[in-house]
Amino acid sequence: QVQVVESGGGLVQPGGSLTLSCVASGSIFRIIALGWYRQAPGNQRELVASINSGGGTNYADSVKGRFTISRDNGGNTVYLQMDSLKPEDTDIYYCNGKIYSSLTSWDDVWGQGTQVTVSS
C-alpha cells in the first residue's frame, strides 16, 4: 500500500508565504512524479505544479513565478513553496503521486488535502 500525506496548510495574509510538504511512503518501487493539485468547492481539481523523477517541473500559468516545487534528495518528499499569495489561491491543496508499487503496477495516489486560506 502506497500513500501520500500532506502538511503545512493554514491561514496567511495576501502577499505572504506558505510551504506545503508531502511525503510518499509504503511499498514504493519507483516514483514517476509527485505534484500538487487544488480544488475549490464546485470546481474541478486542477494541477498547480508537478515534478518528475528526472527533476522536470510543470506549473499552472496562474502560479508561475510565485510558486516553486522541489523534492528532497531521496525523492519521496515534495515541497511547494508558495510566495506572493493571493486570495484566489485559497483552496484545498492535494498531493498526488504517480507511483509504481512493483515493476509493472503503478497507481495514482491522492492525499487527504490541506486547506490554504489567503485572507486579511
Side-chain angles (χ1 to χ4, degrees):
Q1 186 78 8
V2 178
Q3 63 176 358
V4 294
V5 179
E6 311 100 334
S7 62
L11 172 64
V12 64
Q13 293 187 340
S17 298
L18 207 57
T19 302
L20 305 182
S21 301
C22 172
V23 180
S25 63
S27 301
I28 297 173
F29 179 75
R30 183 168 68 90
I31 296 176
I32 304 167
L34 292 171
W36 292 94
Y37 289 70
R38 64 187 181 186
Q39 184 175 25
N43 290 350
Q44 276 195 316
R45 195 169 291 187
E46 63 175 11
L47 174 70
V48 177
S50 65
I51 184 166
N52 62 31
S53 58
T57 58
N58 186 33
Y59 293 93
D61 288 342
S62 59
V63 306
K64 283 180 182 175
R66 300 188 299 121
F67 291 10
T68 304
I69 191 168
S70 62
R71 62 183 186 185
D72 69 341
N73 287 337
N76 284 18
T77 302
V78 65
Y79 307 96
L80 185 68
Q81 174 67 38
M82 304 184 291
D83 299 318
S84 303
L85 281 160
K86 305 174 182 180
E88 51 264 43
D89 293 317
T90 296
D91 264 325
I92 299 176
Y93 284 69
Y94 296 89
C95 181
N96 170 264
K98 300 187 189 318
I99 300 172
Y100 275 93
S101 56
S102 69
L103 187 62
T104 57
S105 175
W106 73 276
D107 289 301
D108 226 1
V109 184
W110 292 94
Q112 300 266 28
T114 185
Q115 177 70 48
V116 172
T117 303
V118 185
S119 175
S120 54

